[in-house]
Amino acid sequence: MTTQARSHEELLAVLRRIWEDVLETTVEDPDENFIDLGGDSLLALVVASRAQEAGLTMPPTAVLRRPTLRGLAEAVMDPSQFEQW
């Protein structure tokens, strides 16, 4: 399934599973900051790599650029947002 075919809720669910696996914690609030949850730049690259493996289009620094789950999902829905950065 392509990124465009996925709903926002489906993306949040996929990204939440990836974040929780990488950070080894539960993410209750999609507006929690990745860094505040214990993430760092190396873990952000792991999240980005796993998201790409799951079929999502995103640059490797997307987690740092959009450090909340909701922000990342919105950016993945519209990858053209990254052209501005």
Side-chain angles (χ1 to χ4, degrees):
M1 182 181 297
T2 65
T3 299
Q4 290 73 26
R6 295 181 186 205
S7 72
H8 191 261
E9 293 77 26
E10 289 173 313
L11 280 173
L12 277 173
V14 168
L15 291 169
R16 176 175 276 127
R17 283 193 303 272
I18 292 169
W19 278 36
E20 289 180 342
D21 183 49
V22 171
L23 293 174
E24 298 179 343
T25 189
T26 301
V27 179
E28 300 294 334
D29 181 359
D31 292 314
E32 285 185 273
N33 188 293
F34 177 77
I35 305 301
D36 293 343
L37 290 170
D40 60 26
S41 57
L42 180 58
L43 290 178
L45 292 174
V46 172
V47 169
S49 174
R50 291 192 185 180
Q52 287 174 333
E53 290 171 5
L56 305 179
T57 303
M58 55 189 275
T61 57
V63 175
L64 294 178
R65 292 177 177 174
R66 299 288 182 154
T68 68
L69 191 58
R70 185 180 316 280
L72 181 57
E74 290 169 1
V76 169
M77 292 290 287
D78 183 10
S80 67
Q81 294 182 45
F82 291 105
E83 294 174 7
Q84 305 168 22
W85 303 10

